[in-house]
Every structure is written in structure tokens, then in C-alpha cells.
Amino acid sequence: MIQRETIPAFWYDGLTARRHEGAAEWDGGDNLLLLSETGASMDVALGDLVFVERGALDGSYSRKSDDGFRLVLTGSVPDALAERLPSGQKFGKWIDGLGLPKAAALFAGVSAALLAIVLTAPTWLGPRVPPSWERKIGDAMIGDMGNRLCRTPASDAALAKLVSQLDPEQPVTRVGIANIDMVNAVALPGGQVLIFDGLIQEADDPDELAGVIGHEIGHVRERHVMQALLRQFGLSVLLGGINSDIGTGIFGVAAMSYSRDAEREADEFSRQQLARSNISPEGTAEFFEYLKEEMGGGPEWASWIASHPMPDEREEAFRDAIRGDHDYTPALTSAEFAAIRDACTDDPDVEEFDFF
């Protein structure tokens, strides 16, 4: 038989704001008897108590039937009674039940699984996005450019000629020139490619430009753009919540990373189409040599963590594709190449891109 225990306590009865000083008596049964110094008493069922973890009386007890009630046991609580009283949660109900080390391991496993899904699902999901949806996304991005796209009848004709040579089986890719002074090019959803004017001005010949456009067409044909958009969106949700700006602008897409395999696929497509069109890959090799000099080749191990293969690897692949004394045909005539280079200068309506 459990001896009657008396524990110093104070409480608020939930009816008045008065603080009652006294003791809680427990005889081993299902109730506590609260005895006030004024002689008032109150029975409280142990099963009706809940532990209070926040507020001024953190660590006190309330009642399921009366949230205004508070009981604080100020003396030592016998072990037998402590086992009957509700306890607080140190980390959370399910974590406390599982144990912190196991819960941490479970969380790490779930996080790794979610990350794997985010990184791999776009590979099969991207190609299944309806082309009409993808075109709308691309059109919206092009619309955001306003009058910052350069075009003249001569430049349009020269670009159309390049596209017909590099993508004859499916000439749906639209190539435009963006009045942006950066050495870059970007493939957009819906079969659109933008070449930044900074890249065009750095190109030494039309063969170099053809290799870059062929690479971007390769991203379009393999639908790498949608895969990267979905991957970027998934990571933004996983790491920091939904960001509606992810991938919605030209620079968001330009800064987006494809996988190294996707980059190699696009390079391989470019080499195949250059060979098919009888355009020399030497110009593209020169372009990657330029990138290598500008950015530095870097140590070999860096290729394992870079989103792109290293420039020297890509330069070597295009140089290896050069066929000895083969008689290649220039991608464009000098006049056609000049029309592309002068497009932003000759277009009277074009606006400069303002970064600020």
C-alpha cells in the first residue's frame, strides 16, 4: 500500500485570479487532493492533467477540462507519483518516443531520399511536360525581354540558314540575339535559343558561332531545359520554400546548371550536326580554348564537382572531331556573319539591357 504523500504546491483554480498556496496530497489513487492554507480543498484527477511547456508557468500542469487551471508542485515529487503525471516533450512527441539518434538518422535518410528524387525525377518528368506548356513558358521569357532583342532582315536570314543546317530534321528552334554584353548563350523552354551579343562580338568566325548554337539546339532537342527547370524548382522548395522567381527570367535560366551528362550530350549533338553540315569543329574548339584562358582550366578533380565539363576537356573533344585535310564549308558567308555581328547596331528599335 502506498503511503499518503504531501507535496508543497500552489495553484490557480481557473475561476479566479487568486493564487492558492498549500499542498497536494496523494494516496496512491487516481486523484490529487489540493489543500489550501485557507482550508479550501479541490480534487483533481491525474488523468485530467496536461503538462504545460510554454508560458509564465512553464513546467506546470493544466487540466484538459479547464485550460485556465494551473498547478505547480514546488516540493519533491515521489517516483510513484511522477510516473503517473504527464511529462513534457524534450524534442517533440515522436522524436522523444523514437530517441534523438534514431530520429536524426531517420531525418537524414528521408532528406537524402527527397534530394535523390528532386535530382533524378526531372530526367524522366521533363520530357513528359506537354510541348504547349513549355512553349508558353518560353514565350513569356521572350516577352520579358521587350525590345532588347536585335533583329534585321539580313540577320534573321543568316540565323535561319544556320538553324536549317544544324537542325534540318526538326527546324522548330528559333534563334535570336539578345542585346546583352555577356559571353553567353541560353536555351529556353519551347525550342528557343538566345545568343548574347557579347558572345557574337567575341566570335572570330561563323563556324565558332555555329558550334555554340548547335550546343544550345542540343539542349532543346534533348529537353534538358525543362529537366533543369524542374530540378531547380524542386531544390528551391526542398531547401528554402517555393520561390516564384526561380527560372522565370532569362538570367535565371542562364545561371541554371545542367548536369555534366547533359552538357556532354549537347556537345556531342553539336559535333554530329557540324559534321553533317560539313562545318569545321575547329571554331568551337577555339571558343573553348578562349573559355579555358578566361576561366582557367583548373585541376582535373574539379570536373567532378563542376556542373559543366572542364573547358580543356571540351576543347579536346572538338579538336579530335577535326578531319585532317578535309575541305569544310564555312557555316556562313562573310556578309552573313557580318549581318549577325551588326544586328544590334543596325536595329533602330533595339534597347540596351540595363542591369540596374
Side-chain angles (χ1 to χ4, degrees), residues 33 39 44 82 93 96 116 141 166-167 191 211 216-217 220 244 264 272 285 298 308 312 315 318 329 332 335 341:
L33 176 61
V44 178
K93 186 174 182 179
D96 289 340
M141 292 180 180
L166 296 170
D167 195 21
E216 298 302 333
I217 291 176
V220 171
S244 60
R264 292 190 176 102
Q272 291 176 355
H308 287 61
D312 52 356
E315 176 195 355
F318 277 89
T329 303
L332 297 171
R341 296 196 70 174

Short mmCIF file of all heavy atoms in Angstrom, two decimals, residues 33 39 44 82 93 96 116 141 166-167 191 211 216-217 220 244 264 272 285 298 308 312 315 318 329 332 335 341:
data_model
loop_
_atom_site.label_atom_id
_atom_site.label_comp_id
_atom_site.label_asym_id
_atom_site.label_seq_id
_atom_site.Cartn_x
_atom_site.Cartn_y
_atom_site.Cartn_z
N LEU A 33 -5.49 15.62 -4.11
CA LEU A 33 -6.31 16.47 -3.26
C LEU A 33 -5.51 17.73 -2.97
O LEU A 33 -4.45 17.67 -2.34
CB LEU A 33 -6.69 15.76 -1.96
CG LEU A 33 -7.48 16.60 -0.96
CD1 LEU A 33 -8.83 17.05 -1.55
CD2 LEU A 33 -7.68 15.82 0.35
N GLY A 39 -7.91 26.49 4.03
CA GLY A 39 -8.83 25.41 4.36
C GLY A 39 -9.65 24.92 3.19
O GLY A 39 -10.33 23.90 3.29
N VAL A 44 -8.47 16.86 -8.05
CA VAL A 44 -8.05 16.93 -9.46
C VAL A 44 -7.67 15.52 -9.91
O VAL A 44 -6.83 14.86 -9.28
CB VAL A 44 -6.84 17.87 -9.66
CG1 VAL A 44 -6.41 17.88 -11.12
CG2 VAL A 44 -7.18 19.27 -9.19
N ALA A 82 5.40 10.55 -9.87
CA ALA A 82 5.99 11.10 -11.10
C ALA A 82 5.65 10.23 -12.31
O ALA A 82 5.45 10.72 -13.42
CB ALA A 82 7.50 11.23 -10.93
N LYS A 93 6.96 14.88 -29.64
CA LYS A 93 6.39 13.60 -29.21
C LYS A 93 7.03 12.41 -29.92
O LYS A 93 7.51 11.47 -29.28
CB LYS A 93 4.89 13.62 -29.45
CG LYS A 93 4.18 12.38 -28.91
CD LYS A 93 2.69 12.53 -29.04
CE LYS A 93 1.97 11.31 -28.47
NZ LYS A 93 0.51 11.43 -28.57
N ASP A 96 10.86 12.11 -29.11
CA ASP A 96 11.08 11.57 -27.78
C ASP A 96 10.81 10.07 -27.74
O ASP A 96 11.52 9.31 -27.08
CB ASP A 96 10.19 12.28 -26.77
CG ASP A 96 10.64 13.71 -26.51
OD1 ASP A 96 11.81 14.01 -26.80
OD2 ASP A 96 9.82 14.51 -26.04
N ALA A 116 17.41 12.87 -53.66
CA ALA A 116 17.59 11.98 -54.81
C ALA A 116 16.41 12.08 -55.77
O ALA A 116 16.59 12.09 -57.00
CB ALA A 116 17.76 10.53 -54.33
N MET A 141 9.14 34.25 -71.32
CA MET A 141 10.50 34.73 -71.10
C MET A 141 10.94 35.68 -72.21
O MET A 141 11.56 36.72 -71.95
CB MET A 141 11.46 33.55 -71.01
CG MET A 141 11.28 32.70 -69.78
SD MET A 141 12.45 31.33 -69.73
CE MET A 141 11.97 30.54 -68.19
N LEU A 166 21.92 23.12 -89.03
CA LEU A 166 22.21 22.40 -87.80
C LEU A 166 21.04 21.57 -87.30
O LEU A 166 21.24 20.64 -86.51
CB LEU A 166 22.61 23.41 -86.71
CG LEU A 166 23.90 24.19 -86.98
CD1 LEU A 166 24.05 25.32 -85.96
CD2 LEU A 166 25.11 23.27 -86.93
N ASP A 167 19.82 21.87 -87.74
CA ASP A 167 18.64 21.16 -87.25
C ASP A 167 17.67 20.92 -88.39
O ASP A 167 16.50 21.31 -88.32
CB ASP A 167 17.99 21.99 -86.14
CG ASP A 167 16.99 21.18 -85.32
OD1 ASP A 167 17.09 19.94 -85.33
OD2 ASP A 167 16.13 21.79 -84.67
N GLY A 191 11.78 25.45 -77.39
CA GLY A 191 12.57 25.44 -78.62
C GLY A 191 13.13 26.78 -79.02
O GLY A 191 13.26 27.07 -80.20
N GLY A 211 28.97 26.22 -83.75
CA GLY A 211 29.15 25.18 -82.73
C GLY A 211 28.40 25.51 -81.46
O GLY A 211 27.81 24.62 -80.82
N GLU A 216 23.39 24.61 -78.04
CA GLU A 216 22.12 25.03 -77.43
C GLU A 216 20.94 24.30 -78.07
O GLU A 216 19.98 23.94 -77.38
CB GLU A 216 21.94 26.54 -77.55
CG GLU A 216 23.00 27.37 -76.84
CD GLU A 216 23.10 27.07 -75.36
OE1 GLU A 216 22.10 26.64 -74.75
OE2 GLU A 216 24.19 27.27 -74.79
N ILE A 217 21.01 24.04 -79.37
CA ILE A 217 19.95 23.26 -80.02
C ILE A 217 19.93 21.85 -79.44
O ILE A 217 18.87 21.25 -79.26
CB ILE A 217 20.16 23.23 -81.55
CG1 ILE A 217 19.93 24.62 -82.14
CG2 ILE A 217 19.22 22.22 -82.21
CD1 ILE A 217 20.20 24.70 -83.63
N VAL A 220 17.90 21.87 -76.45
CA VAL A 220 16.47 21.93 -76.82
C VAL A 220 15.97 20.57 -77.25
O VAL A 220 14.91 20.10 -76.81
CB VAL A 220 16.25 22.99 -77.92
CG1 VAL A 220 14.82 22.90 -78.46
CG2 VAL A 220 16.52 24.39 -77.38
N SER A 244 8.95 31.93 -56.35
CA SER A 244 8.28 32.10 -57.63
C SER A 244 9.19 32.69 -58.69
O SER A 244 8.86 32.68 -59.87
CB SER A 244 7.05 33.01 -57.46
OG SER A 244 7.44 34.29 -56.98
N ARG A 264 27.54 17.16 -71.95
CA ARG A 264 28.26 16.31 -72.91
C ARG A 264 27.35 15.87 -74.05
O ARG A 264 27.78 15.76 -75.20
CB ARG A 264 28.85 15.10 -72.19
CG ARG A 264 29.99 15.46 -71.22
CD ARG A 264 30.71 14.23 -70.70
NE ARG A 264 31.83 14.60 -69.85
CZ ARG A 264 31.82 14.56 -68.53
NH1 ARG A 264 30.72 14.15 -67.89
NH2 ARG A 264 32.88 14.91 -67.82
N GLN A 272 28.00 16.26 -84.02
CA GLN A 272 27.32 15.47 -85.05
C GLN A 272 26.71 16.37 -86.12
O GLN A 272 26.83 16.09 -87.33
CB GLN A 272 26.23 14.60 -84.42
CG GLN A 272 26.74 13.47 -83.55
CD GLN A 272 25.62 12.72 -82.87
OE1 GLN A 272 24.45 13.08 -82.98
NE2 GLN A 272 25.96 11.67 -82.15
N ALA A 285 36.25 24.53 -81.00
CA ALA A 285 37.42 24.21 -80.17
C ALA A 285 38.13 25.50 -79.75
O ALA A 285 38.56 25.64 -78.59
CB ALA A 285 38.37 23.29 -80.92
N GLY A 298 41.83 24.69 -64.59
CA GLY A 298 41.54 24.07 -63.29
C GLY A 298 42.08 22.67 -63.21
O GLY A 298 42.39 22.03 -64.22
N HIS A 308 29.55 21.89 -65.48
CA HIS A 308 29.98 21.70 -66.86
C HIS A 308 31.27 20.88 -66.87
O HIS A 308 32.08 20.98 -65.95
CB HIS A 308 30.25 23.04 -67.55
CG HIS A 308 29.01 23.81 -67.87
ND1 HIS A 308 28.13 24.24 -66.92
CD2 HIS A 308 28.52 24.23 -69.07
CE1 HIS A 308 27.14 24.91 -67.50
NE2 HIS A 308 27.35 24.92 -68.79
N ASP A 312 39.00 22.49 -71.08
CA ASP A 312 40.02 21.78 -71.82
C ASP A 312 39.52 20.43 -72.33
O ASP A 312 39.89 19.99 -73.43
CB ASP A 312 41.29 21.61 -70.99
CG ASP A 312 41.03 21.01 -69.62
OD1 ASP A 312 39.85 20.78 -69.27
OD2 ASP A 312 42.01 20.77 -68.89
N GLU A 315 37.34 21.34 -75.33
CA GLU A 315 38.19 21.75 -76.45
C GLU A 315 38.81 20.54 -77.13
O GLU A 315 38.81 20.42 -78.36
CB GLU A 315 39.30 22.68 -75.95
CG GLU A 315 40.27 23.08 -77.04
CD GLU A 315 41.56 23.69 -76.48
OE1 GLU A 315 41.66 23.87 -75.26
OE2 GLU A 315 42.46 23.96 -77.31
N PHE A 318 36.31 18.58 -79.35
CA PHE A 318 36.03 19.21 -80.64
C PHE A 318 37.26 19.17 -81.55
O PHE A 318 37.11 19.01 -82.77
CB PHE A 318 35.55 20.66 -80.44
CG PHE A 318 34.08 20.75 -80.14
CD1 PHE A 318 33.62 20.69 -78.83
CD2 PHE A 318 33.15 20.87 -81.16
CE1 PHE A 318 32.26 20.76 -78.55
CE2 PHE A 318 31.79 20.95 -80.89
CZ PHE A 318 31.34 20.87 -79.58
N THR A 329 33.03 23.44 -95.41
CA THR A 329 32.32 24.60 -95.97
C THR A 329 32.06 25.58 -94.83
O THR A 329 31.54 25.18 -93.78
CB THR A 329 30.97 24.17 -96.58
OG1 THR A 329 31.20 23.18 -97.58
CG2 THR A 329 30.25 25.37 -97.18
N LEU A 332 28.73 30.26 -92.71
CA LEU A 332 28.09 31.42 -93.32
C LEU A 332 29.10 32.16 -94.19
O LEU A 332 30.32 32.01 -94.01
CB LEU A 332 27.57 32.38 -92.23
CG LEU A 332 26.48 31.89 -91.28
CD1 LEU A 332 26.28 32.92 -90.17
CD2 LEU A 332 25.17 31.64 -92.01
N ALA A 335 29.51 38.06 -95.44
CA ALA A 335 28.43 39.05 -95.38
C ALA A 335 27.34 38.61 -94.40
O ALA A 335 26.79 39.44 -93.65
CB ALA A 335 27.84 39.27 -96.77
N ARG A 341 26.70 39.99 -86.67
CA ARG A 341 27.52 40.80 -85.76
C ARG A 341 27.00 42.24 -85.66
O ARG A 341 27.15 42.88 -84.61
CB ARG A 341 28.97 40.81 -86.24
CG ARG A 341 29.64 39.45 -86.22
CD ARG A 341 31.14 39.56 -86.32
NE ARG A 341 31.71 40.14 -85.11
CZ ARG A 341 33.02 40.24 -84.87
NH1 ARG A 341 33.88 39.84 -85.78
NH2 ARG A 341 33.46 40.77 -83.75
#
